[in-house]
Amino acid sequence: MKSMKGRSQASIILCGSKLRRNRQYNVNVILRTHRFQIIRGTVYDHSQQPSIGAVVQITQIRADDNNKRKILGYCSTDENGEYVFAISALACMKYEMAVYAPLS
C-alpha cells in the first residue's frame, strides 16, 4: 500500500495469462469507511490485451455471515478494458468483485 496525502491506495493485479475462458474469478476487497469509495480497474484478456465488453459485478457481503449477500451493481468495460464503480462502503461489510468474459 502506498500513502498519498493521507490516503491509502492499493492495487490488485490479476495476471491475464492465468485467467481461463468461461470461469468466474472473485476478488474480495475490504475498504475503510468513507462517504464514497471509487473502485476502478482494467480487465485484460489471455493475451494481455484490454478486454472490451467484459462485465464486472460488485457484491456486498456481511462480514459476519458470508451467506448474506447483495449485488450492488454491474458495469461493462470500455474500449480500454476499464471499469469504475462508486459505492458507499460500510465497515460491517466485505465486497466481492466478479469478472465475466465478453459474450462475443
Coordinates of all heavy atoms in Angstrom, one line a residue:
M1 N 0.8 -1.2 0.0 CA 0.0 0.0 0.0 C 0.9 1.2 0.0 O 1.8 1.3 0.7 CB -0.9 0.0 1.2 CG -2.1 -0.7 1.1 SD -3.3 -0.1 2.3 CE -4.0 -1.6 2.7
K2 N 0.5 2.2 -0.8 CA 1.1 3.5 -0.8 C 0.3 4.5 -0.1 O -0.9 4.5 -0.2 CB 1.3 3.9 -2.3 CG 2.2 3.0 -3.1 CD 2.3 3.6 -4.5 CE 2.7 2.5 -5.5 NZ 2.6 3.0 -6.8
S3 N 0.9 5.4 0.5 CA 0.1 6.5 1.2 C 0.3 7.8 0.4 O 1.5 8.2 0.1 CB 0.6 6.7 2.6 OG -0.1 7.7 3.2
M4 N -0.8 8.4 0.0 CA -0.7 9.6 -0.8 C -1.6 10.7 -0.1 O -2.8 10.5 -0.1 CB -1.2 9.4 -2.2 CG -0.3 8.4 -3.0 SD -0.9 7.9 -4.6 CE -1.1 9.4 -5.4
K5 N -1.1 11.7 0.4 CA -1.8 12.8 1.0 C -2.8 12.3 2.1 O -4.0 12.6 2.0 CB -2.5 13.6 0.0 CG -1.6 14.4 -0.9 CD -2.3 15.2 -1.9 CE -1.3 15.9 -2.9 NZ -2.0 16.7 -3.9
G6 N -2.4 11.4 2.9 CA -3.2 10.8 4.0 C -4.2 9.7 3.5 O -5.0 9.3 4.3
R7 N -4.1 9.3 2.3 CA -5.0 8.2 1.8 C -4.2 7.0 1.5 O -3.0 7.1 1.1 CB -5.7 8.7 0.5 CG -6.7 9.8 0.8 CD -7.4 10.1 -0.5 NE -8.4 11.1 -0.2 CZ -9.3 11.5 -1.1 NH1 -9.2 11.1 -2.3 NH2 -10.2 12.4 -0.8
S8 N -4.8 5.9 1.7 CA -4.1 4.6 1.4 C -4.6 4.2 0.0 O -5.7 4.4 -0.4 CB -4.4 3.5 2.4 OG -3.9 3.8 3.6
Q9 N -3.7 3.6 -0.8 CA -4.0 3.1 -2.1 C -3.4 1.8 -2.3 O -2.3 1.5 -1.9 CB -3.5 4.1 -3.2 CG -3.8 3.6 -4.5 CD -3.3 4.6 -5.6 OE1 -3.1 5.8 -5.3 NE2 -3.0 4.2 -6.7
A10 N -4.2 0.8 -2.8 CA -3.6 -0.5 -3.1 C -4.1 -0.9 -4.4 O -5.1 -0.5 -5.0 CB -4.2 -1.5 -2.0
S11 N -3.3 -1.8 -5.0 CA -3.7 -2.3 -6.4 C -3.8 -3.8 -6.2 O -3.1 -4.5 -5.5 CB -2.6 -2.0 -7.4 OG -2.5 -0.6 -7.6
I12 N -4.7 -4.4 -7.0 CA -4.9 -5.8 -7.1 C -4.7 -6.1 -8.6 O -5.3 -5.6 -9.5 CB -6.3 -6.2 -6.7 CG1 -6.6 -5.9 -5.2 CG2 -6.5 -7.7 -6.9 CD1 -8.0 -6.1 -4.8
I13 N -3.7 -7.0 -8.8 CA -3.3 -7.3 -10.2 C -3.6 -8.8 -10.4 O -3.1 -9.6 -9.7 CB -1.9 -7.0 -10.5 CG1 -1.6 -5.5 -10.3 CG2 -1.5 -7.5 -11.9 CD1 -0.2 -5.1 -10.4
L14 N -4.5 -9.1 -11.4 CA -4.8 -10.4 -11.8 C -4.1 -10.7 -13.1 O -4.4 -10.0 -14.1 CB -6.3 -10.7 -11.9 CG -7.1 -10.4 -10.7 CD1 -8.6 -10.5 -11.0 CD2 -6.7 -11.4 -9.6
C15 N -3.2 -11.6 -13.2 CA -2.5 -11.9 -14.4 C -3.4 -12.5 -15.5 O -3.9 -13.6 -15.3 CB -1.3 -12.8 -14.1 SG -0.3 -13.1 -15.6
G16 N -3.6 -11.8 -16.6 CA -4.5 -12.3 -17.7 C -4.1 -13.6 -18.2 O -5.0 -14.4 -18.6
S17 N -2.8 -14.0 -18.2 CA -2.4 -15.3 -18.7 C -2.8 -16.4 -17.8 O -2.8 -17.6 -18.3 CB -0.9 -15.3 -18.9 OG -0.2 -15.2 -17.7
K18 N -3.2 -16.1 -16.6 CA -3.6 -17.1 -15.7 C -5.1 -17.3 -15.7 O -5.6 -18.3 -15.1 CB -3.2 -16.8 -14.2 CG -1.7 -16.6 -14.1 CD -1.0 -17.9 -14.2 CE 0.5 -17.7 -13.9 NZ 1.3 -18.7 -14.4
L19 N -5.9 -16.4 -16.3 CA -7.3 -16.5 -16.3 C -7.8 -17.4 -17.4 O -7.2 -17.4 -18.5 CB -7.9 -15.1 -16.5 CG -7.6 -14.0 -15.5 CD1 -8.2 -12.7 -15.8 CD2 -8.1 -14.5 -14.1
R20 N -8.8 -18.2 -17.2 CA -9.3 -19.1 -18.1 C -10.7 -18.7 -18.6 O -11.5 -18.2 -17.8 CB -9.4 -20.5 -17.5 CG -8.1 -21.1 -17.0 CD -7.2 -21.3 -18.2 NE -5.9 -21.7 -17.8 CZ -4.8 -21.0 -18.1 NH1 -4.8 -19.9 -18.8 NH2 -3.6 -21.4 -17.6
R21 N -11.0 -18.9 -19.9 CA -12.3 -18.6 -20.5 C -13.4 -19.3 -19.8 O -13.3 -20.5 -19.4 CB -12.2 -18.9 -22.0 CG -13.4 -18.5 -22.8 CD -13.2 -18.8 -24.2 NE -14.3 -18.4 -25.0 CZ -14.4 -17.2 -25.6 NH1 -13.5 -16.3 -25.4 NH2 -15.5 -16.9 -26.3
N22 N -14.5 -18.7 -19.7 CA -15.8 -19.2 -19.1 C -15.6 -19.6 -17.6 O -16.3 -20.5 -17.2 CB -16.3 -20.4 -19.9 CG -16.6 -20.0 -21.3 OD1 -17.1 -18.9 -21.6 ND2 -16.3 -20.9 -22.3
R23 N -14.7 -19.0 -16.9 CA -14.6 -19.2 -15.5 C -14.8 -17.9 -14.8 O -14.5 -16.8 -15.3 CB -13.2 -19.7 -15.1 CG -13.0 -21.1 -15.7 CD -12.2 -22.1 -14.9 NE -12.2 -21.9 -13.5 CZ -11.1 -22.2 -12.7 NH1 -10.0 -22.7 -13.3 NH2 -11.1 -22.1 -11.4
Q24 N -15.4 -17.9 -13.6 CA -15.6 -16.7 -12.8 C -14.5 -16.6 -11.8 O -14.1 -17.6 -11.1 CB -16.9 -16.8 -12.1 CG -17.2 -15.7 -11.1 CD -18.5 -15.8 -10.4 OE1 -19.4 -16.3 -10.9 NE2 -18.5 -15.4 -9.1
Y25 N -13.9 -15.4 -11.6 CA -12.8 -15.2 -10.6 C -13.4 -14.1 -9.7 O -13.9 -13.1 -10.1 CB -11.6 -14.7 -11.3 CG -11.0 -15.8 -12.2 CD1 -11.3 -15.9 -13.5 CD2 -10.0 -16.7 -11.7 CE1 -10.8 -16.9 -14.3 CE2 -9.5 -17.7 -12.5 CZ -9.9 -17.8 -13.8 OH -9.3 -18.7 -14.6
N26 N -13.3 -14.3 -8.4 CA -13.8 -13.4 -7.4 C -12.6 -12.8 -6.7 O -11.6 -13.4 -6.4 CB -14.7 -14.1 -6.4 CG -15.9 -14.7 -7.0 OD1 -16.5 -14.0 -7.8 ND2 -16.2 -15.9 -6.6
V27 N -12.7 -11.5 -6.4 CA -11.7 -10.7 -5.7 C -12.4 -10.1 -4.5 O -13.4 -9.4 -4.7 CB -11.0 -9.6 -6.5 CG1 -10.1 -8.8 -5.7 CG2 -10.4 -10.3 -7.8
N28 N -12.0 -10.4 -3.3 CA -12.6 -9.8 -2.1 C -11.8 -8.6 -1.7 O -10.5 -8.6 -1.6 CB -12.6 -10.8 -0.9 CG -13.5 -12.0 -1.2 OD1 -14.6 -11.8 -1.7 ND2 -13.0 -13.2 -0.9
V29 N -12.5 -7.5 -1.4 CA -11.9 -6.2 -1.1 C -12.5 -5.7 0.2 O -13.7 -5.7 0.3 CB -12.1 -5.2 -2.2 CG1 -11.5 -3.8 -1.9 CG2 -11.6 -5.7 -3.6
I30 N -11.6 -5.3 1.1 CA -12.1 -4.7 2.4 C -11.7 -3.2 2.3 O -10.5 -2.9 2.2 CB -11.5 -5.4 3.6 CG1 -12.0 -6.8 3.6 CG2 -12.0 -4.7 4.9 CD1 -11.4 -7.7 4.7
L31 N -12.7 -2.3 2.4 CA -12.4 -0.9 2.3 C -12.6 -0.2 3.7 O -13.5 -0.6 4.4 CB -13.3 -0.3 1.3 CG -13.2 -0.9 -0.1 CD1 -14.3 -0.3 -1.0 CD2 -11.9 -0.6 -0.7
R32 N -11.9 0.9 3.9 CA -12.2 1.7 5.1 C -13.5 2.4 4.8 O -13.8 2.7 3.7 CB -11.0 2.7 5.3 CG -9.8 2.1 5.7 CD -8.8 3.1 6.0 NE -7.4 2.6 6.1 CZ -6.4 3.3 6.3 NH1 -6.4 4.6 6.4 NH2 -5.2 2.7 6.4
T33 N -14.1 2.8 5.9 CA -15.4 3.6 5.8 C -15.1 5.0 5.5 O -14.4 5.7 6.2 CB -16.2 3.5 7.1 OG1 -16.4 2.1 7.4 CG2 -17.5 4.2 7.0
H34 N -15.6 5.4 4.4 CA -15.7 6.8 4.0 C -17.0 7.1 3.3 O -17.8 6.1 3.2 CB -14.6 7.1 2.9 CG -13.2 7.0 3.4 ND1 -12.6 7.9 4.3 CD2 -12.2 6.1 3.3 CE1 -11.4 7.6 4.6 NE2 -11.1 6.4 4.0
R35 N -17.3 8.3 3.0 CA -18.6 8.6 2.4 C -18.8 7.8 1.1 O -19.8 7.1 0.9 CB -18.8 10.0 2.1 CG -20.1 10.4 1.6 CD -20.4 11.8 1.6 NE -21.8 12.0 1.1 CZ -22.3 13.1 1.0 NH1 -21.7 14.2 1.3 NH2 -23.5 13.2 0.5
F36 N -17.8 7.8 0.2 CA -17.9 7.1 -1.1 C -16.5 6.5 -1.4 O -15.5 7.1 -1.0 CB -18.3 8.0 -2.2 CG -19.8 8.4 -2.2 CD1 -20.1 9.6 -1.7 CD2 -20.8 7.5 -2.6 CE1 -21.4 10.0 -1.7 CE2 -22.1 7.9 -2.5 CZ -22.4 9.1 -2.1
Q37 N -16.5 5.4 -2.0 CA -15.3 4.7 -2.4 C -15.4 4.6 -3.9 O -16.4 4.3 -4.5 CB -15.1 3.3 -1.8 CG -15.2 3.3 -0.4 CD -14.0 3.9 0.3 OE1 -13.0 4.2 -0.4 NE2 -14.0 4.1 1.6
I38 N -14.3 4.9 -4.6 CA -14.2 4.7 -6.1 C -13.4 3.4 -6.3 O -12.3 3.3 -5.8 CB -13.6 5.9 -6.8 CG1 -14.4 7.1 -6.5 CG2 -13.4 5.6 -8.3 CD1 -15.8 7.2 -7.1
I39 N -14.0 2.5 -7.0 CA -13.2 1.3 -7.4 C -13.1 1.3 -8.9 O -14.1 1.4 -9.6 CB -14.0 0.0 -6.9 CG1 -14.2 0.0 -5.4 CG2 -13.3 -1.3 -7.4 CD1 -15.1 -1.0 -4.9
R40 N -11.9 1.2 -9.4 CA -11.7 1.3 -10.8 C -10.6 0.3 -11.1 O -9.7 -0.1 -10.3 CB -11.4 2.7 -11.3 CG -10.1 3.2 -10.8 CD -9.9 4.7 -11.3 NE -8.7 5.2 -10.8 CZ -7.6 5.4 -11.5 NH1 -7.7 5.2 -12.8 NH2 -6.5 5.8 -11.0
G41 N -10.6 -0.1 -12.4 CA -9.5 -1.0 -12.8 C -9.6 -1.3 -14.3 O -10.4 -0.7 -15.0
T42 N -8.8 -2.2 -14.7 CA -8.7 -2.6 -16.1 C -8.8 -4.1 -16.2 O -8.1 -4.8 -15.4 CB -7.4 -2.1 -16.8 OG1 -7.4 -0.7 -16.6 CG2 -7.4 -2.4 -18.3
V43 N -9.5 -4.7 -17.1 CA -9.6 -6.1 -17.3 C -8.9 -6.4 -18.6 O -9.1 -5.7 -19.6 CB -11.1 -6.6 -17.5 CG1 -11.2 -8.1 -17.8 CG2 -11.9 -6.3 -16.2
Y44 N -8.0 -7.4 -18.6 CA -7.2 -7.9 -19.7 C -7.6 -9.3 -20.1 O -8.0 -10.1 -19.2 CB -5.7 -7.8 -19.4 CG -5.2 -6.4 -19.1 CD1 -5.1 -5.9 -17.9 CD2 -4.9 -5.6 -20.2 CE1 -4.7 -4.6 -17.6 CE2 -4.4 -4.3 -19.9 CZ -4.3 -3.8 -18.6 OH -3.9 -2.6 -18.4
D45 N -7.5 -9.6 -21.4 CA -7.8 -11.0 -21.8 C -6.5 -11.8 -21.7 O -5.5 -11.4 -21.2 CB -8.3 -11.0 -23.3 CG -7.3 -10.5 -24.3 OD1 -6.1 -10.4 -24.0 OD2 -7.8 -10.2 -25.4
H46 N -6.6 -13.1 -22.1 CA -5.5 -14.0 -22.0 C -4.2 -13.6 -22.7 O -3.1 -14.0 -22.4 CB -5.9 -15.4 -22.5 CG -6.2 -15.4 -24.0 ND1 -7.4 -15.0 -24.5 CD2 -5.4 -15.9 -25.0 CE1 -7.3 -15.1 -25.8 NE2 -6.2 -15.7 -26.1
S47 N -4.3 -12.7 -23.7 CA -3.2 -12.2 -24.5 C -2.7 -10.9 -24.0 O -2.0 -10.2 -24.7 CB -3.4 -12.2 -26.0 OG -4.5 -11.3 -26.3
Q48 N -3.1 -10.5 -22.8 CA -2.8 -9.2 -22.2 C -3.3 -8.0 -22.9 O -2.8 -6.9 -22.7 CB -1.2 -9.1 -22.0 CG -0.6 -10.2 -21.3 CD -1.0 -10.3 -19.8 OE1 -1.1 -9.2 -19.2 NE2 -1.2 -11.5 -19.3
Q49 N -4.3 -8.1 -23.7 CA -5.0 -7.0 -24.4 C -6.2 -6.6 -23.5 O -6.8 -7.4 -22.9 CB -5.5 -7.4 -25.8 CG -4.3 -7.8 -26.7 CD -3.3 -6.6 -26.9 OE1 -3.7 -5.5 -27.2 NE2 -2.0 -6.9 -26.7
P50 N -6.6 -5.3 -23.5 CA -7.7 -4.9 -22.8 C -9.0 -5.6 -23.3 O -9.2 -5.9 -24.5 CB -7.9 -3.4 -23.2 CG -6.5 -3.0 -23.5 CD -5.9 -4.2 -24.2
S51 N -9.8 -6.1 -22.3 CA -11.0 -6.9 -22.6 C -12.2 -5.9 -22.7 O -12.7 -5.4 -21.7 CB -11.2 -7.9 -21.5 OG -12.3 -8.7 -21.8
I52 N -12.6 -5.7 -23.9 CA -13.7 -4.8 -24.2 C -15.0 -5.5 -24.0 O -15.2 -6.6 -24.5 CB -13.6 -4.3 -25.7 CG1 -12.3 -3.5 -25.9 CG2 -14.8 -3.4 -26.0 CD1 -12.0 -3.2 -27.3
G53 N -15.9 -5.0 -23.2 CA -17.2 -5.6 -23.0 C -17.3 -6.6 -21.9 O -18.3 -7.3 -21.8
A54 N -16.2 -6.8 -21.2 CA -16.3 -7.7 -20.0 C -17.2 -7.1 -19.0 O -17.4 -5.9 -18.9 CB -14.9 -7.9 -19.4
V55 N -17.9 -7.9 -18.2 CA -18.8 -7.4 -17.2 C -18.2 -7.6 -15.8 O -17.7 -8.7 -15.5 CB -20.1 -8.2 -17.3 CG1 -21.1 -7.7 -16.1 CG2 -20.8 -7.9 -18.6
V56 N -18.2 -6.6 -15.0 CA -17.7 -6.6 -13.6 C -18.9 -6.4 -12.7 O -19.7 -5.5 -12.9 CB -16.6 -5.5 -13.4 CG1 -16.1 -5.6 -12.0 CG2 -15.5 -5.6 -14.4
Q57 N -19.0 -7.3 -11.7 CA -20.1 -7.3 -10.8 C -19.5 -7.0 -9.4 O -18.5 -7.5 -9.0 CB -20.9 -8.6 -10.8 CG -21.9 -8.8 -9.6 CD -22.3 -10.2 -9.6 OE1 -22.9 -10.7 -10.5 NE2 -22.1 -10.9 -8.5
I58 N -20.2 -6.2 -8.6 CA -19.8 -5.9 -7.2 C -20.9 -6.4 -6.3 O -22.0 -6.0 -6.5 CB -19.3 -4.5 -7.0 CG1 -18.6 -4.4 -5.6 CG2 -20.4 -3.5 -7.1 CD1 -17.7 -3.3 -5.4
T59 N -20.5 -7.2 -5.3 CA -21.5 -7.7 -4.3 C -21.0 -7.3 -2.9 O -19.8 -7.3 -2.6 CB -21.5 -9.2 -4.4 OG1 -21.8 -9.6 -5.7 CG2 -22.5 -9.8 -3.5
Q60 N -22.0 -6.9 -2.1 CA -21.8 -6.5 -0.7 C -22.1 -7.8 0.1 O -23.1 -8.4 -0.1 CB -22.7 -5.4 -0.3 CG -22.6 -4.9 1.1 CD -23.4 -3.7 1.3 OE1 -23.0 -2.6 1.1 NE2 -24.6 -3.9 1.8
I61 N -21.2 -8.1 1.1 CA -21.4 -9.3 1.9 C -21.2 -9.0 3.4 O -20.3 -8.3 3.7 CB -20.3 -10.4 1.5 CG1 -20.3 -10.7 0.0 CG2 -20.5 -11.7 2.3 CD1 -19.1 -11.4 -0.5
R62 N -22.1 -9.4 4.2 CA -22.0 -9.2 5.6 C -20.7 -9.8 6.1 O -20.5 -11.0 5.9 CB -23.2 -9.7 6.4 CG -24.4 -8.8 6.3 CD -25.5 -9.1 7.2 NE -25.0 -9.4 8.5 CZ -25.7 -9.4 9.6 NH1 -27.0 -9.2 9.5 NH2 -25.2 -9.7 10.8
A63 N -19.9 -9.1 6.9 CA -18.6 -9.6 7.3 C -18.8 -10.8 8.3 O -17.9 -11.7 8.3 CB -17.8 -8.5 8.0
D64 N -19.9 -10.9 9.0 CA -20.1 -11.9 10.0 C -21.0 -13.1 9.4 O -21.2 -14.1 10.1 CB -20.8 -11.4 11.2 CG -22.2 -10.8 11.0 OD1 -22.5 -10.6 9.8 OD2 -22.9 -10.5 11.9
D65 N -21.4 -13.0 8.1 CA -22.2 -14.1 7.5 C -22.1 -14.0 6.0 O -22.7 -13.2 5.3 CB -23.7 -13.9 7.9 CG -24.6 -15.0 7.4 OD1 -24.1 -15.9 6.7 OD2 -25.7 -15.0 7.8
N66 N -21.2 -14.9 5.5 CA -21.0 -14.9 4.0 C -22.2 -15.2 3.2 O -22.2 -15.0 2.0 CB -19.8 -15.9 3.7 CG -18.5 -15.3 3.9 OD1 -18.3 -14.1 4.0 ND2 -17.5 -16.2 4.2
N67 N -23.2 -15.7 3.8 CA -24.5 -16.1 3.1 C -25.4 -14.9 2.9 O -26.3 -14.9 2.1 CB -25.2 -17.2 3.8 CG -24.4 -18.5 3.7 OD1 -23.8 -18.8 2.7 ND2 -24.4 -19.2 4.9
K68 N -25.1 -13.8 3.5 CA -25.9 -12.6 3.4 C -25.3 -11.7 2.4 O -24.3 -10.9 2.7 CB -26.1 -11.8 4.7 CG -26.7 -12.8 5.8 CD -27.9 -12.2 6.3 CE -28.4 -13.2 7.4 NZ -29.6 -13.0 7.9
R69 N -25.7 -11.7 1.1 CA -25.1 -11.0 0.0 C -26.1 -10.1 -0.7 O -27.3 -10.5 -0.8 CB -24.6 -12.0 -1.0 CG -23.5 -12.9 -0.5 CD -23.3 -14.1 -1.4 NE -22.0 -14.7 -1.0 CZ -20.9 -14.5 -1.6 NH1 -20.8 -13.7 -2.7 NH2 -19.8 -15.0 -1.2
K70 N -25.6 -9.0 -1.2 CA -26.5 -8.1 -2.0 C -25.7 -7.6 -3.2 O -24.6 -7.0 -3.0 CB -26.9 -6.9 -1.1 CG -27.7 -5.9 -1.9 CD -28.1 -4.8 -1.0 CE -28.8 -3.7 -1.7 NZ -29.1 -2.5 -0.8
I71 N -26.2 -7.9 -4.4 CA -25.5 -7.4 -5.6 C -25.7 -5.9 -5.7 O -26.9 -5.4 -5.7 CB -26.0 -8.1 -6.9 CG1 -25.6 -9.6 -6.8 CG2 -25.4 -7.4 -8.1 CD1 -26.2 -10.4 -7.9
L72 N -24.6 -5.1 -5.7 CA -24.8 -3.6 -5.7 C -24.9 -3.1 -7.2 O -25.4 -2.1 -7.4 CB -23.6 -3.0 -5.0 CG -23.4 -3.3 -3.5 CD1 -22.2 -2.5 -3.0 CD2 -24.7 -2.9 -2.8
G73 N -24.3 -3.9 -8.1 CA -24.4 -3.4 -9.5 C -23.4 -4.1 -10.4 O -22.5 -4.9 -10.0
Y74 N -23.5 -3.8 -11.7 CA -22.7 -4.3 -12.7 C -22.2 -3.1 -13.6 O -22.9 -2.1 -13.6 CB -23.5 -5.2 -13.7 CG -24.1 -6.4 -13.1 CD1 -25.4 -6.4 -12.5 CD2 -23.5 -7.6 -13.1 CE1 -25.9 -7.5 -11.9 CE2 -24.0 -8.8 -12.6 CZ -25.3 -8.7 -12.0 OH -25.8 -9.8 -11.5
C75 N -21.1 -3.3 -14.2 CA -20.7 -2.4 -15.3 C -19.9 -3.2 -16.3 O -19.5 -4.3 -16.1 CB -19.9 -1.2 -14.7 SG -18.3 -1.6 -14.1
S76 N -19.9 -2.6 -17.5 CA -19.1 -3.3 -18.5 C -17.8 -2.5 -18.8 O -17.8 -1.2 -18.6 CB -19.9 -3.5 -19.8 OG -20.4 -2.3 -20.3
T77 N -16.8 -3.1 -19.3 CA -15.6 -2.4 -19.6 C -15.7 -1.6 -20.9 O -16.4 -2.0 -21.8 CB -14.4 -3.4 -19.7 OG1 -14.7 -4.4 -20.6 CG2 -14.2 -4.1 -18.3
D78 N -14.9 -0.6 -21.0 CA -15.0 0.3 -22.2 C -13.9 -0.2 -23.2 O -13.4 -1.3 -23.1 CB -14.7 1.8 -21.8 CG -13.4 2.0 -21.2 OD1 -12.5 1.2 -21.3 OD2 -13.2 3.1 -20.7
E79 N -13.7 0.6 -24.2 CA -12.8 0.2 -25.3 C -11.3 0.1 -24.8 O -10.5 -0.5 -25.5 CB -12.8 1.2 -26.4 CG -12.3 2.6 -26.1 CD -13.4 3.5 -25.4 OE1 -14.6 3.1 -25.3 OE2 -13.1 4.6 -25.0
N80 N -11.0 0.5 -23.6 CA -9.7 0.3 -23.0 C -9.7 -0.8 -21.9 O -8.7 -0.9 -21.2 CB -9.2 1.7 -22.4 CG -9.1 2.7 -23.4 OD1 -8.5 2.5 -24.5 ND2 -9.6 3.9 -23.1
G81 N -10.8 -1.5 -21.8 CA -10.9 -2.5 -20.8 C -11.1 -2.0 -19.4 O -11.0 -2.7 -18.4
E82 N -11.4 -0.7 -19.3 CA -11.5 0.0 -18.0 C -13.0 0.0 -17.4 O -13.9 0.0 -18.2 CB -11.0 1.4 -18.0 CG -9.6 1.5 -18.4 CD -9.0 2.9 -18.6 OE1 -9.9 3.8 -18.7 OE2 -7.8 3.0 -18.6
Y83 N -13.1 -0.1 -16.1 CA -14.4 0.0 -15.4 C -14.3 0.9 -14.2 O -13.2 1.1 -13.7 CB -14.9 -1.4 -15.0 CG -14.0 -2.1 -14.0 CD1 -14.2 -1.9 -12.6 CD2 -12.9 -2.9 -14.4 CE1 -13.4 -2.5 -11.7 CE2 -12.1 -3.4 -13.4 CZ -12.3 -3.2 -12.1 OH -11.5 -3.8 -11.1
V84 N -15.4 1.3 -13.7 CA -15.4 2.1 -12.5 C -16.7 1.9 -11.7 O -17.8 1.8 -12.4 CB -15.1 3.6 -12.8 CG1 -16.2 4.2 -13.6 CG2 -14.9 4.4 -11.5
F85 N -16.6 1.9 -10.4 CA -17.8 1.8 -9.5 C -17.6 2.9 -8.5 O -16.5 3.2 -8.0 CB -17.8 0.5 -8.7 CG -18.3 -0.7 -9.5 CD1 -17.4 -1.6 -10.0 CD2 -19.7 -0.9 -9.7 CE1 -17.8 -2.7 -10.6 CE2 -20.1 -2.0 -10.4 CZ -19.1 -3.0 -10.8
A86 N -18.7 3.5 -8.0 CA -18.8 4.3 -6.8 C -19.7 3.7 -5.9 O -20.9 3.4 -6.2 CB -19.2 5.7 -7.2
I87 N -19.2 3.4 -4.7 CA -20.1 2.7 -3.6 C -19.9 3.5 -2.3 O -18.9 4.2 -2.1 CB -19.7 1.2 -3.5 CG1 -18.3 1.0 -2.9 CG2 -19.9 0.5 -4.7 CD1 -18.0 -0.4 -2.4
S88 N -20.8 3.3 -1.4 CA -20.7 3.8 -0.1 C -20.4 2.6 0.8 O -21.2 1.7 1.1 CB -22.1 4.4 0.4 OG -22.0 4.9 1.7
A89 N -19.1 2.4 1.1 CA -18.6 1.3 1.8 C -19.0 1.3 3.3 O -19.0 2.4 3.9 CB -17.1 1.2 1.7
L90 N -19.3 0.2 3.9 CA -19.7 0.1 5.3 C -18.7 -0.8 6.0 O -18.2 -1.9 5.4 CB -21.1 -0.6 5.4 CG -22.2 0.2 4.7 CD1 -23.5 -0.6 4.8 CD2 -22.4 1.6 5.3
A91 N -18.3 -0.5 7.2 CA -17.3 -1.2 7.9 C -17.7 -2.6 8.2 O -16.9 -3.5 8.3 CB -16.9 -0.5 9.2
C92 N -19.0 -2.9 8.4 CA -19.5 -4.2 8.7 C -19.7 -5.1 7.5 O -20.2 -6.2 7.6 CB -20.8 -4.1 9.5 SG -22.1 -3.3 8.5
M93 N -19.2 -4.6 6.4 CA -19.4 -5.4 5.1 C -18.1 -5.7 4.5 O -17.1 -5.0 4.7 CB -20.3 -4.6 4.1 CG -21.7 -4.3 4.6 SD -22.6 -5.8 4.7 CE -24.2 -5.1 5.3
K94 N -18.1 -6.8 3.6 CA -17.0 -7.1 2.7 C -17.5 -6.9 1.3 O -18.8 -6.9 1.1 CB -16.5 -8.5 2.9 CG -16.0 -8.9 4.2 CD -15.5 -10.3 4.3 CE -16.5 -11.3 4.1 NZ -16.0 -12.7 4.3
Y95 N -16.6 -6.7 0.4 CA -17.1 -6.5 -1.0 C -16.3 -7.5 -1.9 O -15.2 -7.8 -1.8 CB -16.8 -5.1 -1.4 CG -17.6 -4.1 -0.6 CD1 -17.1 -3.7 0.6 CD2 -18.9 -3.8 -0.9 CE1 -17.9 -2.9 1.5 CE2 -19.7 -3.0 -0.1 CZ -19.2 -2.6 1.1 OH -20.0 -1.8 1.9
E96 N -17.1 -8.1 -2.8 CA -16.6 -9.1 -3.8 C -16.8 -8.6 -5.2 O -17.9 -8.1 -5.5 CB -17.3 -10.4 -3.5 CG -16.9 -11.5 -4.4 CD -17.7 -12.8 -4.1 OE1 -17.3 -13.5 -3.2 OE2 -18.8 -13.0 -4.7
M97 N -15.8 -8.8 -6.0 CA -15.9 -8.4 -7.4 C -15.8 -9.7 -8.2 O -15.0 -10.6 -7.9 CB -14.8 -7.5 -7.9 CG -15.0 -6.1 -7.3 SD -13.6 -5.0 -7.6 CE -13.2 -5.3 -9.3
A98 N -16.7 -9.8 -9.2 CA -16.7 -11.0 -10.1 C -16.5 -10.4 -11.5 O -17.2 -9.4 -11.9 CB -17.9 -11.8 -10.0
V99 N -15.7 -11.0 -12.3 CA -15.5 -10.5 -13.7 C -15.9 -11.6 -14.7 O -15.5 -12.8 -14.5 CB -14.0 -10.2 -13.9 CG1 -13.7 -9.7 -15.4 CG2 -13.5 -9.2 -12.9
Y100 N -16.7 -11.3 -15.6 CA -17.2 -12.2 -16.6 C -16.7 -11.8 -18.0 O -16.7 -10.6 -18.4 CB -18.8 -12.2 -16.7 CG -19.4 -12.5 -15.3 CD1 -19.7 -11.5 -14.4 CD2 -19.6 -13.8 -15.0 CE1 -20.2 -11.9 -13.2 CE2 -20.1 -14.2 -13.8 CZ -20.5 -13.2 -12.9 OH -21.0 -13.5 -11.6
A101 N -16.3 -12.8 -18.8 CA -15.7 -12.5 -20.1 C -16.8 -11.9 -21.0 O -18.0 -12.2 -20.8 CB -15.2 -13.8 -20.7
P102 N -16.4 -11.2 -22.0 CA -17.4 -10.7 -23.0 C -18.1 -11.8 -23.7 O -17.6 -12.9 -23.8 CB -16.5 -9.9 -24.0 CG -15.2 -9.6 -23.3 CD -15.0 -10.7 -22.3
L103 N -19.3 -11.6 -24.1 CA -20.1 -12.6 -24.8 C -19.7 -12.9 -26.2 O -19.8 -14.0 -26.6 CB -21.6 -12.2 -24.8 CG -22.3 -12.1 -23.4 CD1 -23.7 -11.6 -23.6 CD2 -22.2 -13.4 -22.7
S104 N -19.0 -12.0 -26.8 CA -18.6 -12.2 -28.2 C -17.3 -12.9 -28.3 O -16.5 -13.0 -27.4 CB -18.6 -10.9 -29.0 OG -17.8 -10.0 -28.4

